[in-house]
Amino acid sequence: IATGKYYIGVPYVWGGTTPSGFDCSGYVQYVFRAHGVKLPRTSREQYKVGYQISISNLQPGDLVFFNTSGSGASHVGIYIGNGEFLQSGTSRGVSIASLNNSYWSSYYLGARRVL
């Protein structure tokens, strides 16, 4: 979580995989790689790793996924506790968002535990 928070404020860049700019899955992949966990590149592929958990069993470090495109996992973030997650979004770059936000709750797809 500390590693993820370190990059708050990094701008969103479509296809970005470095601290000069991240897209959502590039950010998640980068943070987990810093701790020796290899993840696929895209949110769609990341949604296939680990195992599924319910929203009521979320723990910090779990991956949360959203279907914002209408065709499966298209956005991913890192759950940090208290209903909040780290993510790289188009409007604010790397930031903290709430699962209870009406936008995110309406597109919530599921969560995976990879740690």
Side-chain angles (χ1 to χ4, degrees):
I1 303 305
T3 303
K5 286 183 173 180
Y6 179 82
Y7 297 102
I8 287 176
V10 169
Y12 179 89
V13 172
W14 190 86
T17 60
T18 70
S20 62
F22 291 115
D23 67 13
C24 66
S25 55
Y27 167 68
V28 168
Q29 184 187 52
Y30 188 91
V31 170
F32 275 71
R33 187 179 336 151
H35 294 277
V37 179
K38 292 183 179 180
L39 291 175
R41 172 64 187 90
T42 68
S43 56
R44 186 177 306 280
E45 291 299 312
Q46 290 172 0
Y47 191 58
K48 298 175 183 177
V49 300
Y51 58 95
Q52 190 167 7
I53 55 166
S54 67
I55 195 167
S56 60
N57 288 321
L58 281 171
Q59 295 179 3
D62 290 339
L63 301 182
V64 288
F65 293 88
F66 305 87
N67 178 355
T68 58
S69 68
S71 61
S74 54
H75 189 71
V76 60
I78 303 167
Y79 187 71
I80 61 173
N82 298 317
E84 295 182 325
F85 63 100
L86 289 161
Q87 55 108 25
S88 181
T90 55
S91 60
R92 294 173 45 206
V94 176
S95 60
I96 295 174
S98 172
L99 289 172
N100 298 320
N101 172 285
S102 60
Y103 178 82
W104 293 117
S105 64
S106 67
Y107 289 111
Y108 183 77
L109 180 63
R112 309 289 292 184
R113 185 163 293 155
V114 298
L115 296 176

